[in-house]
Amino acid sequence: MGILDLPLYFYRDRDRNWIDMLIEDGGTFYPIEIKKHADPEKPDVARFSLLDRIPEIKRGQGGVVCQYDNLATLQGNDKALPVTML
């Protein structure tokens, strides 16, 4: 038995801002960026704050899935997530 209606989304606005993936769970949206580099930085999670401007959306902890070798905090609750953790 699997999930038929996956709670996966993406964000894109008319100003060409985007977030690669949003995972919705219990009314909270968790933003994810996917990068192929191994040196995640704060700008990689900067667009996550766009969700804070939308009153009907509750934003949870975000992450950047990348080639970094360990879990690390980038900014606030947003983390660098090694692809090996998936």
Side-chain angles (χ1 to χ4, degrees), residues 20-60:
D20 292 337
M21 184 173 16
L22 297 171
I23 302 170
E24 188 268 331
D25 183 40
T28 300
F29 288 83
Y30 299 89
I32 302 291
E33 280 293 314
I34 301 168
K35 303 292 184 187
K36 65 180 180 179
H37 58 73
D39 55 343
E41 298 176 341
K42 289 180 183 180
D44 292 330
V45 297
R47 287 188 224 109
F48 295 174
S49 65
L50 294 169
L51 299 176
D52 299 333
R53 299 179 190 171
I54 305 170
E56 58 273 5
I57 288 189
K58 179 181 175 190
R59 178 172 73 97

Side-chain angles (χ1 to χ4, degrees), residues 12 17-18 22 27-28 32 35 43 51 59-60 63 68 73 76 84-85:
R12 186 176 309 144
N17 295 306
W18 72 91
L22 297 171
T28 300
I32 302 291
K35 303 292 184 187
L51 299 176
R59 178 172 73 97
Y68 200 60
T73 300
T84 57
M85 290 184 73

Side-chain angles (χ1 to χ4, degrees), residues 1-6:
M1 185 159 142
I3 300 172
L4 298 177
D5 189 18
L6 293 175

